[in-house]
Amino acid sequence: MSTLKDFELTKKAVVQWFVRVSEVPVSKLKLLGREPHPQEIFYYQGRSCDDEVDAESILRPVQVTFSDIRIGLHDRRKTCDSIVEYCDINFLLRYVAEEDSDNCPMLPVAATPRSSKRKSAQLVSSRIRRQLKELQSSSDEDDDDDDEGEEDSDEDAVFLKKSRRASTATPRSKQRTRSSTRTPRKTPNKKVTPGTPRTPHGATPSIPSRTLPARQPANVLEEARTRLHVSSVPESLPCREQEFQDIYSFVESKIVDGTGGCMYISGVPGTGKTATVHEVMRCLQHAADVDEIPPFHFIEINGMKMTDPHQAYVQILQKLTGQKATADHAAALLEKRFSNAAPRKETTVLLVDELDLLWTRKQNVMYNLFDWPTRRHARLVVLTIANTMDLPERIMINRVASRLGLTRMSFQPYSFKQLQQIIMSRLNKVKAFEQDALQLVSRKVAALSGDARRCLDICRRATEICEHSAADPSASGLVGMSHVMEALDEMFSSAYITAIKCASVQEQLFLRAVIAEFRRLGLEEATFQQVFVQHQALCRVEGLQPVSVSEGLAVCQRLGACRLLLLEPSRLGVLQRVRLNVSQDDVLFALKAD
């Protein structure tokens, strides 16, 4: 077997010459009759072009490489002399032309080369040198195994002789015709339209699971703070036993009888409306599990969590059937579901919280929610919750109010004794407060709004103040009067409350007019014209001279500049909408303090 050096000195090759467009004279290009492609090459035949050249002149400047798939060899260890001696050299050069057409002086095809990611000449040359070294080393190793080498050479000789016979039998004119009509695999300048990216797996965000258990409270104050949190579910709901019994009896009778109905539940915020209904549903679900009552479906929607009132249809349908649809389609499907009879149809209990936020101009959403339970085969029980007792008479038209019916329940604000009992039941024998401190918090909140959530927040803040002041040697370790007073001052002495206290008489009257109008409408939004009517009435009650419309607008703008009110950015004047930027409790506390 010959070595690489012998091969380079003795071997010859038959080649064909091609030129690029840039090397063709301009006069010759005019004879073409068309605009050539920048990457197109042409067959060149001249007197100075020798068809038989030394293999050395090909291997070095052309940088010939080979591939098992393109050449058809089964063993990469064959030496270069066998390949160049018998293989069609055009086939080898075609591979190089497609790899690096910019740096190759002789190209074997008269067509646009394949558009692919080209490598630089340095990378190609380094790769060729590395492969030649591997071939040389493999040829030295193959000298030790004569039998295997003979079999391989015989096998390659058969294949390579066929390849040379096919190349010599084909005239050059046919080769030129076949190569010139070759269609490129891909146009280089073709623009690829980017497609829509696929959604990656796990695109939905999720909360990672807890690796360590939750830290247990280290002392009594931390335990009390955990129990007094608003989100903490108490073991029982004190002070609402009668309301619990009434709601339970109403829903249970409808489930047992297989009929439908509506109940309107009202009350100021923080009086336990939603918590009582959830407790009723928990007890009814337990009764259904032990077969005391027929099974039922319980679903809940909240008007505050919807961007549009018509989204109520979408949420109800999805929670009932798991099906997603548009608002109109969902309304049609629900209409069909509650109108047609079905075997083994279970009762559905629907809780609608923040009902006043589902108000629309035509009130079609409210009408459907109250009309579906009246259908014969609906078996739908609707429980609605709002903050205003007379909301149906204020904002509902007659046909909607008549569908609601007369089954109503009102949650009265908590008294100071009830608030004290709620805190004690939450603490559950955890001694963290002095008795006078609990009574002070209960009386303060009951005199203002009766909101149990506000009472719990003040108590939690008092435990934090007590814990930070534990370094005091005179402290008893319990939350006392001083801690509660400091928490009350923080809760009711914010910058907004200070601004309300420092406001003028007309500005304070305007804030009172805003709250009065909100309670009249049952909404948290009103126009300036509606508030101005209330403001004039309050001026007459207080014995003050009513202001003009322009003066009222100036008062409203000043309150908006202080961020006590949120005003609609428009030029509607008296028709611009007004909202409070502080809670009503804070406004009432600041006005009562005066």
Side-chain angles (χ1 to χ4, degrees), residues 414 419 440-452 454-455 458 488 492:
Y414 289 112
L419 292 174
L440 176 61
V441 175
S442 303
R443 287 184 178 275
K444 281 285 188 181
V445 177
L448 184 61
S449 62
D451 191 343
R454 178 63 65 90
C455 189
I458 295 174
L488 286 170
F492 297 107

Side-chain angles (χ1 to χ4, degrees), residues 247 251 263-265 273-281 297-303 306 312 315-316 319 348-355 358 369 380-386:
I247 299 174
V251 180
M263 173 180 280
Y264 178 75
I265 303 171
K273 303 182 295 297
T274 306
T276 303
V277 174
H278 285 166
E279 183 68 17
V280 168
M281 291 297 106
H297 294 291
F298 172 66
I299 57 177
E300 177 185 2
I301 61 174
N302 194 318
M306 302 178 192
Q315 293 192 14
I316 294 174
K319 293 181 179 181
T348 302
V349 181
L350 172 62
L351 173 61
V352 183
D353 206 352
E354 304 292 346
L355 175 68
L358 298 181
L369 291 178
L380 175 65
V381 181
V382 178
L383 304 176
T384 59
I385 299 177

Side-chain angles (χ1 to χ4, degrees), residues 388-405:
T388 306
M389 184 176 63
D390 54 347
L391 181 69
E393 289 78 16
R394 288 185 177 181
I395 68 172
M396 294 183 187
I397 57 180
N398 292 333
R399 72 186 186 101
V400 179
S402 62
R403 294 295 189 277
L404 179 60

Side-chain angles (χ1 to χ4, degrees), residues 73-139:
L73 296 180
H74 303 286
D75 195 348
R76 292 179 60 92
R77 296 177 300 171
K78 301 297 173 273
T79 56
C80 288
D81 54 348
S82 299
I83 297 172
V84 180
E85 180 179 2
Y86 296 106
C87 251
D88 184 7
I89 195 64
N90 292 331
F91 197 73
L92 294 175
L93 293 177
R94 185 180 298 112
Y95 176 77
V96 179
E98 292 175 351
E99 285 286 335
D100 193 12
S101 60
D102 290 338
N103 297 280
C104 181
M106 293 182 295
L107 299 176
V109 291
T112 304
R114 182 178 59 184
S115 175
S116 61
K117 186 178 180 181
R118 299 175 177 178
K119 299 180 180 180
S120 62
Q122 293 80 2
L123 294 177
V124 174
S125 60
S126 62
R127 186 184 61 186
I128 299 301
R129 286 194 296 269
R130 183 172 64 254
Q131 291 180 355
L132 291 176
K133 290 180 181 179
E134 292 176 358
L135 289 172
Q136 186 176 4
S137 61
S138 62
S139 62

Side-chain angles (χ1 to χ4, degrees), residues 407-423:
T407 306
R408 303 185 185 183
M409 177 174 295
S410 178
F411 280 65
Q412 299 299 324
Y414 289 112
S415 63
F416 83 93
K417 290 185 178 180
Q418 291 176 333
L419 292 174
Q420 190 172 354
Q421 183 180 352
I422 291 172
I423 298 174

Side-chain angles (χ1 to χ4, degrees), residues 496-512:
Y496 289 113
I497 295 179
T498 304
I500 295 173
K501 291 180 180 180
C502 298
S504 63
V505 176
Q506 292 294 340
E507 292 171 351
Q508 292 180 355
L509 283 178
F510 195 87
L511 291 174
R512 290 172 55 186

Side-chain angles (χ1 to χ4, degrees), residues 189 534 564:
N189 296 333
Q534 293 283 350
L564 295 175

